[in-house]
Amino acid sequence: MMSSRTSEKIAFLFLFLATLLIVVPVGLIIVIIIQKGWPAISWEFVSDIPRQGMRAGGIFPAIVGTIYIVLGSIIFALPIGLLAAIYLSEYAKNNYLNRMIKLAIVNLAGVPSVVYGLFGLAIFVIFFKFGASILSGSLTLAIMILPIIITTSREALESVPYSFREVSYSIGASKWQTIRHIVLPNAIPGILTGTILGLGRAAGETAPILFTVAAFYLPQLPKSLFDQAMALPYHLYVISTQVPNVDEKVRYGTALVLLFLVLFMNLVAIIIRYQFRKKKKW
Amino acid sequence: MIKIKVENLNLWYGDFQALKNINLAFEEKQITAIIGPSGCGKSTLLRVFNRMNDLVEGIHMTGEVTINGSNILSKRVDLVTLRKKVGMVFQRPNPFPLSIYENIAFGPKIHNHGKSREIAQIVESSLKSVLLWDDLKDKLQESALQLSLEQKQRLCIARLIAVKPDILLMDEPCSTLDPQATDRIEDLMRELKNNYSIVIVTHNMQQAARISDKTAFLLLGELMEYGETTQVFTNPKNSKTEDYITGRYG
């Protein structure tokens, strides 16, 4: 029989090693990308168009394209996702059909992203004739991140204490007034968490934009919603596999910029969330 | 004058009958206490008067409850109007996670009681009527959640008064408070009785004896006794009431 001290030590060791096993690769990825990519970073790299078959110059159009596509997808996904979440958590009765719908939405988050890409190609590019465009790409990404936004928003709404709603009704507020003035303000931090997760996912995906928006090489900025655009993840894929003799530092530099962009967007959302959390005091 | 009249009220949660053939009449500008052991249906009865039971699924009622001359169990009753007239104080003080000012302004705002100046006046008069104004007038913008339990409960009463009800339902309003605070809230209730009809549910028989004009004793969903508080406590007609108030069960 092991003494409780020994078993405590062994348990601690395994738990600690498991955590280390996760932290080390993540840390290594960041270190390697910074180490190999940093030499490529310059003002020219982030502000110029690609030159010499994407072996020199900058990645400006891809940065702009990614920002457009990600913002576009959030503009579509956040309002629709939030409204659906409000319906599901506040209005939908707890019956078999609604439980199935909730389960289906959770599971949609696990569908491989290339499937969303094909769906976007069939629906937006071909059926609605939007062509390969920022509109098609944004809509496709929006559909991909909707399950994440709906699920996290629903959890945020449901975590608002029941007693707040009860009081609000007892004062004579209608259901919508209660949601609008009491439930929603208290759920905003959680809703923003979902948005952050959605942002990160939309910015980093390659497959959904492959058929719907991403341009192989387009040395100019998109002028309308119906233009194609370059995007960082796809550009990274292209210069890593499709174009020979691209300098390693250009590839890692592109990865670094993508990483930084996602980090920056998350940071903005985290700051907004922090501002709201400061106000929430229960 | 009779404020609330209950006739042949039955209430079921699914198959379980929680209230059995209740007949009662509550007087205007009096405090009526509803007492009885846990699970006797006293909170359920209280929540009939502002139809808060409607939030529970599978509830079913028969009979009539008349407030200000109209049957509030009717399908056509407008719950917003009803709940404006019949306010509720809950067991746990439950201010919204907002400022003191916004907590009280919430009701007037959703009911469109005029402009911000009028609302400011409502906030002031409501806080005055629960004797919080002098303590809180300089920190109206601070969070209501940092107040003491007693102040929170007073704030919750002020939040109700701001929508100008005429009946106050209180569901064990002092159960989380210490004896001194309970004493002061009871003083407040005696004060409020001049303007409002109050129905209080309480576990605390001394409290019922101290503050109420009339007392109703419920047991397992049935009304065992209803009468003047002094009579119910000194000379109960029903032997079950006597057993309960002398502490033989409950």
Side-chain angles (χ1 to χ4, degrees):
Chain A
M1 197 54 193
M2 222 187 287
S3 81
S4 67
R5 268 176 68 97
T6 331
S7 65
E8 173 70 35
K9 275 183 184 162
I10 293 174
F12 174 81
L13 190 72
F14 275 98
L15 298 172
F16 178 75
L17 282 178
T19 311
L20 200 67
L21 211 63
I22 297 162
V23 172
V24 167
V26 173
L28 274 180
I29 290 171
I30 294 172
V31 168
I32 290 173
I33 288 180
I34 291 178
Q35 199 184 26
K36 296 193 175 178
W38 188 250
I41 304 294
S42 65
W43 177 243
E44 191 204 352
F45 188 67
V46 295
S47 66
D48 197 8
I49 59 164
R51 293 175 196 283
Q52 297 172 24
M54 292 186 266
R55 292 178 191 87
I59 54 169
F60 185 58
I63 297 175
V64 172
T66 290
I67 293 174
Y68 282 172
I69 296 163
V70 170
L71 287 183
S73 65
I74 288 292
I75 287 170
F76 288 119
L78 186 57
I80 298 173
L82 186 55
L83 294 180
I86 291 174
Y87 177 77
L88 288 172
S89 79
E90 306 293 323
Y91 285 95
K93 290 209 167 59
N94 182 21
N95 58 27
Y96 182 74
L97 179 68
N98 284 316
R99 281 199 298 275
M100 286 305 289
I101 290 174
K102 288 179 191 175
L103 190 68
I105 290 172
V106 172
N107 283 326
L108 273 178
V111 171
S113 57
V114 67
V115 176
Y116 286 107
L118 279 172
F119 174 78
L121 175 69
I123 296 290
F124 302 121
V125 179
I126 296 169
F127 184 77
F128 284 115
K129 300 193 171 65
F130 295 152
S133 63
I134 292 178
L135 186 62
S136 298
S138 296
L139 286 168
T140 308
L141 283 175
I143 288 178
M144 185 189 75
I145 63 175
L146 263 176
I148 303 173
I149 289 182
I150 294 175
T151 308
T152 47
S153 300
R154 198 165 57 80
E155 279 163 9
L157 292 165
E158 281 168 0
S159 74
V160 175
Y162 181 72
S163 68
F164 292 167
R165 299 161 211 250
E166 199 176 41
V167 182
S168 179
Y169 295 140
S170 81
I171 296 174
S174 67
K175 190 158 194 166
W176 172 244
Q177 283 174 323
T178 301
I179 293 169
R180 164 76 187 75
H181 296 288
I182 301 297
V183 180
L184 211 49
N186 286 301
I188 284 177
I191 292 164
L192 285 173
T193 303
T195 312
I196 292 171
L197 292 171
L199 268 177
R201 179 111 197 260
E205 282 292 347
T206 312
I209 58 173
L210 189 60
F211 318 120
T212 55
V213 52
F216 185 84
Y217 174 65
L218 195 70
Q220 61 187 20
L221 297 185
K223 291 184 186 63
S224 87
L225 277 179
F226 295 97
D227 283 353
Q228 271 195 297
M230 294 183 78
L232 283 170
Y234 183 60
H235 182 66
L236 187 58
Y237 165 76
V238 165
I239 57 176
S240 306
T241 61
Q242 310 294 306
V243 183
N245 304 326
V246 176
D247 197 353
E248 191 185 59
K249 73 173 186 185
V250 173
R251 284 185 266 142
Y252 279 95
T254 307
L256 184 59
V257 170
L258 177 58
L259 212 61
F260 178 78
L261 200 68
V262 173
L263 214 63
F264 178 74
M265 286 194 250
N266 284 0
L267 197 67
V268 172
I270 287 168
I271 289 170
I272 301 173
R273 183 173 66 178
Y274 176 75
Q275 292 299 329
F276 276 104
R277 276 217 178 124
K278 269 207 307 203
K279 283 201 266 170
K280 167 174 136 175
K281 300 166 189 117
W282 87 77
Chain B
M1 211 183 96
I2 288 174
K3 196 71 192 169
I4 306 176
K5 194 172 178 201
V6 183
E7 288 169 289
N8 307 322
L9 176 69
N10 290 285
L11 184 148
W12 291 265
Y13 292 116
D15 295 332
F16 173 72
Q17 187 167 9
L19 294 175
K20 295 168 188 164
N21 198 33
I22 308 281
N23 286 282
L24 271 174
F26 297 163
E27 299 281 334
E28 185 171 22
K29 293 183 184 170
Q30 283 202 345
I31 299 179
T32 309
I34 305 175
I35 59 169
S38 301
C40 70
K42 52 192 192 303
S43 285
T44 303
L45 177 59
L46 195 70
R47 283 160 182 259
V48 168
F49 304 141
N50 62 350
R51 296 270 304 266
M52 285 298 276
N53 286 326
D54 287 25
L55 299 175
V56 184
E57 269 178 54
I59 207 145
H60 169 62
M61 288 183 270
T62 63
E64 257 189 38
V65 176
T66 316
I67 293 180
N68 294 335
S70 59
N71 179 15
I72 61 152
L73 299 191
S74 150
K75 287 239 183 316
R76 280 165 298 151
V77 154
D78 176 26
L79 289 183
V80 170
T81 319
L82 172 68
R83 287 172 183 165
K84 266 170 76 176
K85 284 286 156 205
V86 187
M88 184 168 229
V89 178
F90 295 82
Q91 193 168 357
R92 281 181 55 85
N94 46 8
F96 295 126
L98 299 169
S99 72
I100 293 164
Y101 184 91
E102 285 177 84
N103 257 283
I104 299 173
F106 177 74
K109 272 184 189 160
I110 57 167
H111 296 306
N112 294 320
H113 277 313
K115 302 270 173 287
S116 58
R117 248 191 67 211
E118 291 165 57
I119 288 177
Q121 276 167 2
I122 295 176
V123 170
E124 181 174 342
S125 65
S126 304
L127 281 174
K128 276 181 176 158
S129 62
V130 296
L131 310 175
L132 275 180
W133 176 253
D134 290 332
D135 293 338
L136 300 184
K137 64 180 174 207
D138 298 324
K139 22 183 176 173
L140 294 177
Q141 297 312 321
E142 289 174 28
S143 166
L145 298 186
Q146 43 152 10
L147 299 174
S148 72
L149 276 174
E150 182 194 347
Q151 286 176 319
K152 280 183 189 166
Q153 198 61 300
R154 280 174 189 268
L155 183 76
C156 292
I157 298 172
R159 182 172 60 186
L160 274 188
I161 288 173
V163 289
K164 303 183 167 61
D166 48 31
I167 297 170
L168 302 181
L169 307 174
M170 301 194 170
D171 193 354
E172 307 205 28
C174 300
S175 63
T176 58
L177 303 181
D178 63 61
Q180 284 82 17
T182 301
D183 206 34
R184 290 190 293 266
I185 295 282
E186 288 177 8
D187 281 340
L188 174 64
M189 289 168 65
R190 287 188 197 95
E191 186 79 25
L192 292 171
K193 180 173 113 164
N194 296 320
N195 298 307
Y196 305 94
S197 314
I198 298 175
V199 183
I200 177 174
V201 157
T202 178
H203 246 105
N204 180 336
M205 278 175 287
Q206 286 81 7
Q207 181 171 55
R210 279 193 302 263
I211 57 164
S212 66
D213 300 294
K214 286 194 167 183
T215 297
F217 172 55
L218 283 184
L219 186 63
L220 299 171
E222 281 180 85
L223 181 66
M224 300 316 260
E225 181 145 5
Y226 179 51
E228 297 292 329
T229 298
T230 40
Q231 176 258 312
V232 171
F233 278 90
T234 56
N235 188 19
K237 291 183 187 130
N238 190 316
S239 64
K240 294 228 170 79
T241 315
E242 191 175 355
D243 289 348
Y244 180 66
I245 58 178
T246 52
R248 241 167 267 170
Y249 59 84

